[in-house]
């Protein structure tokens, strides 16, 4: 069994390349999962940096592992857990299922496409608010 991969980084855009390297080097993922995980992890990290309002000194934790196999013929899926401290986690959970892409005239670009893309790349996305951290669970 391959051990889970773990990374912890400050919620800063400067750490985006470190997360990309982390996902690309993770032996838990096969080639197809690696590409999907790369998109999902970087998109959620981007949203955490932009909207998370994380407390100073806090870290974003990313863990990549495999779910248990269903049988000898059906392997487990890749699972990505992203956890971080934020006062805005409930707002993200509330908008997850209802957010629609829209054009933002102020920035002259479309918004909301990233999370829609993540939902389409994953078998399942769920959210759990813990006592101190919010956790995003993505099954690829």
């Amino acid at each position: 069994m391959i051990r889970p991969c773990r990374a912890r980084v400050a919620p800063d855009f400067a750490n985006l390349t470190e997360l990309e390297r982390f996902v690309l080097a993770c032996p838990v993922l096969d080639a197809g999962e690696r590409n999907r995980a790369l998109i999902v992890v970087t998109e959620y990290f981007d949203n955490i940096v932009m909207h998370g309002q994380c407390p100073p000194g806090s870290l974003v934790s990313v863990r990549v592992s495999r779910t248990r196999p269903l049988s000898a013929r059906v392997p487990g899926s890749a699972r990505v857990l992203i956890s971080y401290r934020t006062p805005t986690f409930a707002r993200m959970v509330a908008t997850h299922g209802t957010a629609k892409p829209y054009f933002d005239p102020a920035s002259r670009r479309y918004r909301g496409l990233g999370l829609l893309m993540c939902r389409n790349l994953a078998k399942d996305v769920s959210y759990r608010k813990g006592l101190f951290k919010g956790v995003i669970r993505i099954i690829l």
Side-chain angles (χ1 to χ4, degrees), residues 2-6 19-41 62-67 76-81 138-140:
I2 299 173
R3 293 175 51 107
C5 303
R6 292 185 168 102
L19 277 180
E20 289 171 346
R21 281 193 300 269
F22 161 75
V23 172
L24 292 173
C26 183
V28 171
L29 302 167
D30 66 29
E33 293 167 337
R34 188 169 288 113
N35 292 329
R36 292 191 329 242
L38 183 63
I39 293 168
V40 168
V41 167
V62 180
R63 182 178 189 263
V64 181
S65 62
R66 297 211 69 82
T67 61
S77 299
R79 174 179 41 210
V80 178
L81 299 175
I138 302 125
I139 303 294
L140 298 174

Side-chain angles (χ1 to χ4, degrees), residues 9 35 41 43 65 73-74 77 85 105 107 112-115 120 129 132:
V9 296
N35 292 329
V41 167
E43 180 60 33
S65 62
R73 296 174 56 196
V74 181
S77 299
R85 291 179 54 204
S107 64
L113 292 171
L115 292 182
N120 288 330
K129 176 70 174 126
F132 298 108

Side-chain angles (χ1 to χ4, degrees), residues 1 10 14 26 32 40-41 44 46 52 60 62 80 92 94 99 103 113 117 130 134-135:
M1 175 132 227
C26 183
V40 168
V41 167
Y44 274 104
D46 181 85
V60 177
V62 180
V80 178
M92 182 172 69
F103 184 75
L113 292 171
M117 182 175 54
V135 178

Side-chain angles (χ1 to χ4, degrees), residues 28-113:
V28 171
L29 302 167
D30 66 29
E33 293 167 337
R34 188 169 288 113
N35 292 329
R36 292 191 329 242
L38 183 63
I39 293 168
V40 168
V41 167
T42 55
E43 180 60 33
Y44 274 104
F45 185 74
D46 181 85
N47 280 328
I48 290 166
V49 173
M50 290 285 292
H51 309 293
Q53 298 176 5
C54 300
S58 66
L59 298 174
V60 177
S61 218
V62 180
R63 182 178 189 263
V64 181
S65 62
R66 297 211 69 82
T67 61
R68 292 182 184 223
L70 297 175
S71 70
R73 296 174 56 196
V74 181
S77 299
R79 174 179 41 210
V80 178
L81 299 175
I82 302 170
S83 60
Y84 63 104
R85 291 179 54 204
T86 177
T88 63
F89 193 75
R91 189 177 329 141
M92 182 172 69
V93 172
T95 61
H96 169 75
T98 60
K100 303 276 190 247
Y102 67 95
F103 184 75
D104 177 18
S107 64
R108 295 180 34 199
R109 61 183 287 225
Y110 282 93
R111 310 294 265 169
L113 292 171

